[in-house]
Amino acid sequence: MPDHGHFLIMGLAEDSDQKTWARMFRKLWNQALPEGTTLQRQAYDHVLRKAECEHKAFAKVAEYILANPIRAGLLGDASQWPFAGCLVPGYPSLDPHASDYWNSFWLAHQTLLEP
């Protein structure tokens, strides 16, 4: 979106500190933005409920976020939005627009959870 961003993050451990991550991310993102651009002072955060973390429900949340530029009338195909992506450590080629994305994502997720 031209004036804000949407991010869906997932910790890999029960003790993942998402508040610290969000604070650090906002600081670094503000530093990376062009001069004079800043994020709104208070972000809107929503912690997913247990049911929203199930595979299909999680995918639905991600797909809702990916469709934001379409709902905003910025383009007709979400795959054309240059700022959409996925970052999973060790899996740099994951593309949320690929037809096999969710299978690849959950395989990567499972691999990262294994000791």
Side-chain angles (χ1 to χ4, degrees):
M1 307 306 295
D3 58 355
H4 64 281
H6 295 263
F7 303 92
L8 179 60
I9 65 167
M10 175 190 294
L12 293 174
E14 287 293 322
D15 62 348
S16 293
D17 187 349
Q18 294 174 355
K19 285 183 181 182
T20 299
W21 178 91
R23 189 171 34 257
M24 178 64 73
F25 176 79
R26 287 175 56 81
K27 179 182 177 184
L28 293 173
W29 196 29
N30 268 322
Q31 291 172 353
L33 291 171
E35 184 79 25
T37 305
T38 58
L39 300 175
Q40 64 188 26
R41 179 143 172 79
Q42 180 61 44
Y44 170 77
D45 296 326
H46 170 72
V47 177
L48 299 179
R49 294 172 185 87
K50 186 171 179 76
E52 292 172 304
C53 294
E54 298 297 325
H55 288 205
K56 289 186 185 212
F58 187 84
K60 189 174 179 181
V61 171
E63 290 162 2
Y64 178 85
I65 291 170
L66 287 170
N68 274 329
I70 295 171
R71 285 190 301 279
L74 299 173
L75 42 86
D77 179 2
S79 68
Q80 301 302 310
W81 189 244
F83 307 108
C86 173
L87 176 62
V88 176
Y91 299 87
S93 63
L94 283 179
D95 176 3
H97 301 295
S99 61
D100 66 340
Y101 171 72
W102 286 109
N103 286 334
S104 299
F105 176 86
W106 291 116
L107 284 171
H109 178 264
Q110 186 60 41
T111 299
L112 290 168
L113 289 178
E114 293 174 359

